[in-house]
Amino acid sequence: MQIVSAPDGTIRIDGKVVTALDRFVASVTGIVERYTRYVIVSGYVAILFGRARGTEDIDLFVDYMDRDTFMSMSEDLLEQGFYYLNSDDIGEIYSMLCDRLAVRIAGAGRIIPNVEMKFKKDDFDRYAMSRAKRVQFDDIRFFVSPIELQIPYKLYLGSDKDIEDAVYLWILFRETLDTNLLQSFMERLEVRGEQYGIEV
């Protein structure tokens, strides 16, 4: 597998083995992006770039949608064989999103994997979405949070799995990262990476 940065900023992954998880995420985001912008954050970002670990959920921030737009998107998701784990009442699902809670989308008859979707809520979420990086492989295209934000955010979360994700992304992208931007986010999140070999 080879990661190539194209002149337009797209990150292309050549030789990637496309997994069932990749196809699942693509099928959900392909519907979501018809109605609003999205950005993938957290653990699946590392998995997407080749980190060998499992995950049960894929974290997704979306722009605010009014009720009618959300209802249309939900109808589309249901028609394509997805459902919300939280409730069968789509109005209740929308209220949860407006209350800054996460809702989960899975394939019919399944619980995992699922997409954990939230409305963006703070400056970090807004930055991730406004500066989302396009990732392309095979016939799939995703929008993911900038790596310069993902590494500090993973250190901030602080579990062994999160720290390992941060280190993996650092090793993979350290030659192409904007280190000033990375350092800025590390300062804002009050994290340090030296003990893990992340030095900026």
Side-chain angles (χ1 to χ4, degrees):
M1 188 179 79
Q2 183 179 15
I3 296 173
V4 180
S5 294
D8 65 357
T10 298
I11 302 173
R12 197 175 72 245
I13 311 175
D14 293 338
K16 174 176 167 58
V17 175
V18 181
T19 66
L21 181 62
D22 296 328
R23 293 287 181 196
F24 166 71
V25 179
S27 60
V28 174
T29 57
I31 295 170
V32 170
E33 69 180 359
R34 297 175 195 163
Y35 300 90
T36 188
R37 292 190 303 167
Y38 77 88
V39 62
I40 297 169
V41 300
S42 207
Y44 180 65
V45 175
I47 293 170
L48 182 60
F49 290 114
R51 176 150 145 71
R53 75 164 177 85
T55 189
E56 294 184 356
D57 54 24
I58 296 88
D59 297 285
L60 202 73
F61 289 131
V62 296
D63 264 338
Y64 173 79
M65 288 174 273
D66 62 34
R67 186 184 179 90
D68 288 345
T69 302
F70 181 76
M71 291 297 181
S72 296
M73 186 191 77
S74 297
E75 184 177 331
D76 205 347
L77 284 165
L78 293 170
E79 287 177 353
Q80 296 300 318
F82 300 102
Y83 78 108
Y84 293 104
L85 273 66
N86 312 75
S87 173
D88 293 330
D89 184 338
I90 304 303
E92 183 179 348
I93 293 292
Y94 183 70
S95 295
M96 290 178 65
L97 283 172
C98 292
D99 288 339
R100 297 190 170 188
L101 299 174
V103 301
R104 294 178 181 268
I105 302 165
R110 305 192 67 174
I111 297 175
I112 56 174
N114 59 76
V115 167
E116 183 178 300
M117 184 172 69
K118 298 178 185 177
F119 284 153
K120 66 182 183 185
K121 64 183 184 303
D122 59 26
D123 287 344
F124 294 113
D125 299 351
R126 284 186 280 273
Y127 184 90
M129 185 167 288
S130 67
R131 302 297 178 89
K133 303 292 290 184
R134 184 198 306 262
V135 177
Q136 182 85 42
F137 60 96
D138 200 59
D139 60 344
I140 293 175
R141 180 199 64 184
F142 288 138
F143 292 96
V144 305
S145 174
I147 305 302
E148 290 88 349
L149 175 54
Q150 279 304 288
I151 291 171
Y153 180 69
K154 281 292 187 174
L155 293 174
Y156 172 78
L157 292 176
S159 74
D160 288 346
K161 179 174 64 177
D162 291 313
I163 291 168
E164 288 165 4
D165 283 348
V167 171
Y168 180 84
L169 291 171
W170 164 255
I171 291 171
L172 198 61
F173 287 99
R174 61 184 170 190
E175 299 300 326
T176 58
L177 291 173
D178 180 335
T179 53
N180 289 330
L181 183 60
L182 176 62
Q183 186 169 21
S184 172
F185 280 124
M186 292 181 80
E187 289 171 356
R188 289 177 64 185
L189 288 166
E190 299 181 346
V191 294
R192 301 180 66 87
E194 291 89 345
Q195 62 183 312
Y196 311 114
I198 300 172
E199 298 180 355
V200 292

